[in-house]
Structure formats: C-alpha cells, structure tokens
Amino acid sequence: MAVIPVATPGGAYEVRIAPGLLARAGEECAPLLRKREVAVVTDANVAVAWRETVETAFSAVGKTTAWFVLPAGETSKSWARLGELLEWLLGREVERGDAIVALGGGMVGDLTGLAASLLKRGCRFIQLPTTLLAQVDSSVGGKTAVNMRAGKNLVGAFHQPALVLADLSALDTLPARELRAGYAEVAKYGVLGDAAFFAWCEANAAALLAGDPAAREYAVAHSVAAKARIVAEDERETTGARALLNLGHTFGHALEAETGFSDRLLHGEAVALGMVLAARFSARRGLMAQGEAERVATHLAAAGLPVEIAALGLGCDGQKLAAHMLHDKKMDAGTLPFVLLRGIGAAFLDRSVELAEVAAFLDGELG
Ligand SMILES: NC(=O)c1ccc[n+]([C@@H]2O[C@H](COP(=O)([O-])OP(=O)(O)OC[C@H]3O[C@@H](n4cnc5c(N)ncnc54)[C@H](O)[C@@H]3O)[C@@H](O)[C@H]2O)c1
Ligand SMILES: [Zn+2]
C-alpha cells in the first residue's frame, strides 16, 4: 500500500492507495467513525458495482450503513440535489463529529464534500474515489462544488477530507472510456512539472490501462504526491502554484462548453485535447519546440485519447471557442491566465495571452 500524506492549512490527512481497500473500508475508516450508523453517498452505477462490498466491510467492524444513491451523471451535481442530500443527512441525525462517506467518482465526491462543508457549519468526510480521475485528482485537495445554470462548479467551498482510500480494484469495473479519460489527468502531472514522470507514462500507459497493478499503484501514488505538493503550497489557488493544475483546462473547458458538457466529450478527453492545444500554442509562441508539443499529442493518442479538435466536427470557428473562455471562472479583471509550456515538465502561468491570438490559433487547429 502506498500512503501519501497531504498537509494543508485546512487539514492534514492520508491518501491510502492499494487494491482491495473498499473491502477493508470498515477497519480503515473505523478510527474516524463514532456512531453505529455510517452515512454513505454514492451514485447508481457505483452502487451496483460496490455497495455490497462496502456494506460488508462496515458491518465487519459493527457498523450499519445508510445509503443516499444519486442518479449517475454530472446533472446530479446540482444545487437541488445538494439540498436533498443535506435534508437527508439531517434526517439521519448526522452530527458534526461524524464522518460522511463519499463512494464514487468526482461527481459524488464534489457534491458530498460540499454538503459536508455546510452541514452544521462543517463536518468531516471520507473520500472513497472509484474513478481514476477521482483517485488522482478530485478526491485530493479539498475543492468541492455544484454546477449552476451559469456554469460548472460555480458554487463551492474548500473543504479537505479526513481520509482518502483509493482502491485500485475499483478501476476494474470502470468503463474503459472513463479510465482513459482519467488517465489524461495522470499524464497532466508529467506534462506540467515532471519530465521523468512523462517518460514513465510513455513507457507504462499501456500496462496501466490494461490493469497492471504495479503500474496503477505507481501512477496513482505519483499523481497524488504531485497534487499533494502543489496544494500544500497553495491550498486556495492564490499564489499561482495550484493554477498549474489547470494545464489544458482553459482550452478543454471551451471544448466542453461547445459540446454542451455532454457525453460527446468527457472531461478528461477535453483535458487531453486542451493539453495538446496548450503545447501547440506554446510552440507557436516559440516557447517550446514543435517536436516536444507533438510528443505530448503522440502519447495521448497512443493512450486512446482524442488529440485533434478538427476531428470533433464542431462546426464552429476559433472566435466562438475563445468566447467560451470569457466565462471561465479564472477570469480576473478582464484577463485570463493561461498555463503554457516551456517544454514537457515546465509549465508556467502566462497572464499576457490575448483571446484574439487564441482564436486565430484555434482557427488553424480547426482546419
Ligand atoms: N474537486 C476537484 O478538485 C475536481 C477535480 C477534477 C474534477 N472534478 C469534478 O469531478 C467530476 C468528474 O469526475 P469523474 O470523472 O469521476 O465522473 P463521475 O463521478 O461522473 O463518474 C464517471 C462515470 O463512471 C461511473 N463510475 C464511477 N466509478 C465507477 C466504478 N468503479 N465502476 C463503474 N462505474 C463507475 C459513474 O457512475 C459515472 O457514470 C466533475 O464534476 C468535475 O467537475 C473535481
Ligand atoms: Zn480536470
């Protein structure tokens, strides 16, 4: 088992990474549980795959579980569901000292974390991330949110979990497309700050995606350690260090907006495309060699991720894509900071990028 400590001003906790952790969730979580009943939040798909395992694990340490099962999908990350969840938690008489358990991907984790931050002005929660994306990204760092009509993740809070158990076995039931999408966030840590890890990714992505346990453990542990370092330095995204995690996300967000945040393009797929665009845009600005940018594209394509926006058939121009960026919540006094690259492993924040330049670049990419 790999154990990665996360230390932020908002809380210190462990991320434990191993196969079989859900089957041991009772004993792993027991020190954080006071009452006999444990409130577990999940979604319908995860419930089918893992509810019984988790129920059995908690009953092995004398705990009963009460389940709040959301419909699967991003639309459940809503203000309305947040209200229902809070009413349900109050109905179960969850107290401040109790820990709420979030079993699922980023959707479940973000919603449950926000509910935990609000319930009685803040109670503890435990993340049991079941997607690769949630294991390497969303379960760590304390960002919680729901989506609003005006945009994604616009209402939220920083609220760190008390414990994260990343069970690598959970990835066995994850649809392959979701696994690949989550992999984009793994590769992101290499592209943004760790050329050696990117080289490891090039050599090991196939094994990881095929289920090799050692490759999975290394990739998840390495990614979590990278995120832990960044959030320890900049928990609330004020100094700029945490902003580097947005590599590929400004371009990606525009693509997600253009495709209506639908199954046409999963978040991780948008991030893969966004990283390639950030790399090519950096090359166009003379910051990095064109060959380095194409190395990013070649690797992500080999991992089964989309890398050419021309192939999406968007039917829009660069101007329209760039316009989506105006609604990005990172907009700051009229400028949008972009994460650009001086090379693989050398990302930096550039506040000088004009959207007109981005639009012209995107026109070229759209073909
Ligand atoms: N808080 C953060 O720092 C942060 C970071 C990145 C992303 N996010 C958020 O995370 C969300 C995306 O997370 P996600 O990609 O995990 O999506 P998700 O939670 O919607 O899960 C994706 C799909 O996989 C299914 N699923 C999950 N685990 C499964 C398993 N083990 N077996 C079978 N099916 C399983 C789900 O039911 C769902 O259909 C977005 O809302 C995004 O905004 C948050
Ligand atoms: Zn992301």
Side-chain angles (χ1 to χ4, degrees):
M1 177 161 81
V3 180
I4 311 293
V6 185
T8 72
Y13 52 97
E14 284 183 359
V15 181
R16 301 179 195 152
I17 302 154
L21 278 176
L22 290 178
R24 293 213 308 273
E27 44 188 296
E28 298 283 339
C29 298
L32 293 168
L33 304 172
R34 298 188 320 172
K35 287 218 293 276
R36 190 173 144 72
E37 183 179 278
V38 183
V40 186
V41 184
T42 192
D43 75 28
N45 294 339
V46 180
V48 167
W50 294 100
R51 176 174 173 155
E52 213 179 292
T53 304
V54 171
E55 251 167 6
T56 308
F58 280 104
S59 71
V61 293
K63 303 286 182 190
T64 59
T65 44
W67 291 77
F68 188 86
V69 183
L70 295 149
E74 189 66 21
T75 50
S76 283
K77 221 176 91 174
S78 69
W79 183 253
R81 295 288 181 198
L82 175 70
E84 289 169 19
L85 173 55
L86 286 166
E87 296 288 5
W88 180 80
L89 291 166
L90 292 167
R92 305 304 310 186
E93 295 176 359
V94 173
E95 292 165 8
R96 247 192 169 168
D98 296 330
I100 304 164
V101 173
L103 171 70
M107 185 280 283
V108 168
D110 278 15
L111 182 76
T112 308
L114 182 55
S117 83
L118 294 168
L119 190 78
K120 301 184 176 172
R121 298 199 181 85
C123 68
R124 294 190 296 183
F125 80 118
I126 297 171
Q127 291 268 24
L128 307 182
T130 60
T131 64
L132 183 57
L133 179 135
Q135 295 187 352
V136 301
D137 191 359
S138 64
S139 69
V140 180
K143 279 192 183 176
T144 73
V146 291
N147 304 323
M148 303 298 284
R149 266 197 289 277
K152 271 192 69 178
N153 295 328
L154 289 181
V155 170
F158 287 96
H159 188 57
Q160 301 290 343
L163 176 66
V164 182
L165 302 180
D167 182 349
L168 301 167
S169 311
L171 305 180
D172 294 343
T173 60
L174 190 65
R177 186 180 172 199
E178 295 286 351
L179 186 70
R180 286 194 298 270
Y183 176 73
E185 305 276 6
V186 172
K188 182 186 77 176
Y189 293 108
V191 179
L192 80 85
D194 191 339
F197 182 59
F198 185 77
W200 182 91
C201 285
E202 289 177 314
N204 295 281
L208 185 164
L209 292 168
D212 180 77
R216 280 188 177 171
E217 180 161 322
Y218 183 82
V220 174
H222 197 90
S223 299
V224 168
K227 182 151 187 187
R229 270 195 303 278
I230 291 169
V231 299
E233 192 181 322
D234 183 17
E235 184 184 22
R236 292 179 174 242
E237 208 164 323
T238 45
T239 69
R242 188 163 183 166
L244 296 182
L245 294 171
N246 295 324
L247 172 65
H249 281 63
T250 305
F251 285 111
H253 187 267
L255 296 169
E256 287 185 275
E258 185 60 29
T259 49
F261 295 97
S262 66
D263 287 350
R264 251 180 95 189
L265 196 62
L266 299 180
H267 173 73
E269 294 168 343
V271 170
L273 285 158
M275 278 195 286
V276 171
L277 291 171
R280 288 180 180 160
F281 185 70
S282 301
R284 175 184 155 113
R285 285 194 139 204
L287 290 162
M288 82 192 282
Q290 190 71 45
E292 280 266 283
E294 291 317 309
R295 194 177 150 200
V296 174
T298 301
H299 173 57
L300 295 173
L305 287 158
V307 297
E308 299 296 343
I309 54 171
L312 293 177
L314 292 176
C316 71
D317 62 4
Q319 179 84 40
K320 182 153 185 251
L321 277 184
H324 290 299
M325 297 175 183
L326 289 170
H327 305 293
D328 199 294
K329 62 183 177 316
K330 273 104 198 164
M331 275 296 280
D332 180 18
T335 69
L336 185 58
F338 269 80
V339 184
L340 299 183
L341 297 165
R342 292 202 176 89
I344 290 171
F348 70 102
L349 203 58
D350 191 321
R351 296 175 195 278
S352 75
V353 177
E354 302 274 345
L355 282 186
E357 185 188 351
V358 174
F361 161 73
L362 288 172
D363 275 333
E365 288 292 316
L366 285 161

